[in-house]
């Protein structure tokens, strides 16, 4: 009789340790098509010219959380090139690409529930994203559900722009920005 | 005693489990970034250095009235070149001249070509090719094939210029003729086409 009770006790404790209370919170990132954990390709094919001065790309992701405390952080790699012709100091670099991030609340999400952290509260450069850089402080939940089709979410729109400057070396440049939604 | 110990152990474990707030990754998105910079070759009108002045047609009209004390008559057509290519060439080719009864020949029309650069451009990005390194005449630009006028060995920009205001490499062409009494009244005409090519 004592043995099953001890076994039950240890299973109970094990479950609590493996699934702490915070894990009960749900968090999700989708793209505009509600694809979970999306890969959103940002591609520029860019030709220096007299006008217009810039080429831009924009993309969006949706954040859902049923808890009031969450954070969006990002890590960047590149851009770098292995085939650019010319002096490497004229390669396209992260500080050549301007970055504008905006947040909108939809459905039941609180319009003040997601706060962009400086310097992302205004236009900055892609180089502002380094490793584990804090982008958004989430202070309010989006709703009580993180279902991909829940109409309540925070929409994070990213706009990248690059001057069509004649200084840039022709070539292909590749990089990646990884966004992670964490709790707390 | 055993029950009390077990109960105490349970309470302690529950407290520990709930006081540890592990920041767990819950969701992620990735944005692969691909930037392709293509090579670019642009010629614009030095007098209208904007999109409206790209690939310009520049008319050079020289009016010659032979007289005592008349000086040489000149006109020019100036172009601005921009390229991020490390090698480029400005070539020229001419249509067959129409003397128009004037008696003017291609050799009578003098050609001077000079280069210059804006403050954000590399003046050494291109070098004049002989015989355009000095004064020559229209016959140096042939009708049968394009001839090299400028040999570009570097991109034209020397610094970033977000307004494209001072990153130009300029090629100034000047055409001149003496007001000689030998020439008969009429109109001589010819067209020179400049092309920017790479390499």
């Amino acid at each position: 009789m004592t043995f099953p009770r001890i076994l039950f006790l240890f299973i109970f404790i094990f479950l609590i340790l493996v699934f702490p209370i915070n894990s009960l919170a749900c968090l999700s990132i989708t793209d505009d098509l509600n694809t979970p954990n999306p890969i959103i390709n940002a591609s520029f094919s860019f030709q220096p010219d007299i006008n217009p001065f810039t080429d831009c790309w924009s993309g969006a992701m949706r954040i859902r959380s049923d808890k009031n405390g969450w954070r969006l952080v990002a890590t960047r790699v590149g851009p770098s090139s292995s085939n650019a012709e010319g002096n490497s100091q004229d390669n396209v670099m992260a500080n050549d690409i301007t970055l504008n991030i905006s947040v909108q609340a939809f459905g039941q999400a609180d319009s003040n529930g997601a706060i962009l952290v400086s310097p992302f509260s205004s236009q900055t450069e892609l180089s502002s994203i380094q490793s584990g850089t804090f982008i958004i402080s989430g202070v309010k939940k989006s709703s009580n559900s993180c279902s991909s089709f829940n109409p309540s979410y925070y929409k994070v729109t990213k706009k990248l722009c690059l001057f069509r400057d004649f200084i840039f070396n022709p070539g292909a440049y590749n990089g990646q920005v990884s966004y992670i939604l964490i709790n707390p | 005693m055993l029950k009390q110990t077990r109960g105490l152990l349970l309470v302690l474990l529950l407290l520990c489990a709930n006081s540890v707030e592990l920041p767990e990754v819950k969701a992620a998105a990735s944005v692969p970034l691909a930037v392709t910079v293509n090579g670019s070759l642009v010629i614009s009108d030095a007098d209208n250095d904007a999109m409206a002045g790209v690939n310009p047609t520049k008319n050079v009209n020289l009016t010659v009235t032979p007289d005592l004390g008349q000086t040489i008559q000149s006109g020019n057509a100036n172009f601005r070149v921009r390229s991020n290519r490390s090698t480029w060439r400005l070539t020229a080719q001419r249509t067959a001249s129409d003397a128009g009864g004037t008696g003017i020949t291609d050799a009578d029309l003098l050609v001077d070509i000079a280069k210059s650069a804006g403050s954000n451009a590399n003046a050494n990005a291109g070098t004049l090719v002989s015989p355009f390194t000095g004064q020559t005449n229209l016959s140096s630009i042939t009708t049968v094939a394009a001839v090299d006028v400028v040999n570009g060995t570097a991109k034209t920009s020397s610094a970033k210029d977000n307004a494209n205001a001072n990153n130009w490499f300029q090629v100034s062409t000047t055409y001149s003729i003496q007001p000689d009494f030998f020439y008969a009244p009429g109109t001589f005409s010819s067209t020179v086409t400049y092309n920017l090519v790479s390499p």
Side-chain angles (χ1 to χ4, degrees), chain A residues 21 48 96 165 167 169 179, chain B residues 18 29 31 35 40 155 160-161:
Chain A
I21 285 176
D96 295 318
D165 203 299
I167 195 80
N169 292 325
Y179 293 90
Chain B
N18 286 290
V31 181
V35 179
S40 181
K155 74 179 75 177
K160 287 178 189 171
D161 189 336

Side-chain angles (χ1 to χ4, degrees), chain B residues 60 62 72-79 109-114 132 134-138 141 171-177 194:
Chain B
V60 177
L62 306 178
I72 193 165
Q73 297 298 298
S74 298
N76 55 49
N78 301 330
F79 309 105
L109 269 160
L110 304 177
V111 175
D112 289 272
I113 296 182
F132 303 102
Q135 188 176 68
T136 184
N137 60 63
L138 203 57
I141 300 173
V171 179
S172 302
T173 66
T174 304
Y175 309 88
S176 309
I177 189 166
Y194 293 91

Side-chain angles (χ1 to χ4, degrees), chain A:
Chain A
M1 191 66 184
T2 305
F3 179 74
R5 287 173 63 186
I6 292 173
L7 183 64
F8 173 76
L9 176 66
F10 275 97
I11 290 172
F12 182 66
I13 292 167
F14 175 78
L15 288 173
I16 288 174
L17 286 172
V18 172
F19 302 105
I21 285 176
N22 278 335
S23 71
L24 298 175
C26 72
L27 293 167
S28 83
I29 299 180
T30 67
D31 58 16
D32 270 343
L33 299 175
N34 294 317
T35 307
N37 299 327
I39 296 172
I40 305 166
N41 289 299
S43 298
F44 292 94
S45 183
F46 154 95
Q47 185 154 24
D49 207 343
I50 292 179
N51 219 350
F53 296 140
T54 57
D55 269 347
C56 294
W57 170 90
S58 68
M61 56 191 183
R62 298 174 178 184
I63 289 175
R64 296 176 176 88
S65 170
D66 67 349
K67 296 294 176 188
N68 287 336
W70 52 271
R71 287 188 298 160
L72 182 71
V73 300
T75 297
R76 176 182 55 83
V77 176
S80 60
S81 177
S82 59
N83 67 351
E85 59 178 71
N87 191 327
S88 62
Q89 70 183 13
D90 295 334
N91 285 354
V92 174
M93 296 180 189
N95 58 4
D96 295 318
I97 300 173
T98 60
L99 171 64
N100 276 286
I101 298 180
S102 60
V103 182
Q104 291 173 280
F106 287 84
Q108 297 170 13
D110 189 321
S111 58
N112 297 314
I115 301 165
L116 286 164
V117 176
S118 178
F120 304 101
S121 48
S122 58
Q123 179 174 298
T124 183
E125 288 87 36
L126 190 62
S127 55
S128 296
I129 297 176
Q130 295 180 357
S131 179
T133 305
F134 193 6
I135 308 283
I136 296 176
S137 173
V139 293
K140 297 284 185 184
K141 63 186 176 183
S142 57
S143 71
N144 291 323
S145 165
C146 296
S147 162
S148 293
F149 296 99
N150 190 299
S152 298
Y153 55 83
Y154 295 103
K155 181 172 182 174
V156 180
T157 303
K158 307 170 294 293
K159 186 176 182 183
L160 303 173
C161 292
L162 182 58
F163 279 106
R164 304 173 78 190
D165 203 299
F166 284 87
I167 195 80
F168 294 130
N169 292 325
Y173 302 82
N174 293 291
Q176 179 159 304
V177 180
S178 301
Y179 293 90
I180 299 173
L181 196 57
I182 57 176
N183 186 8

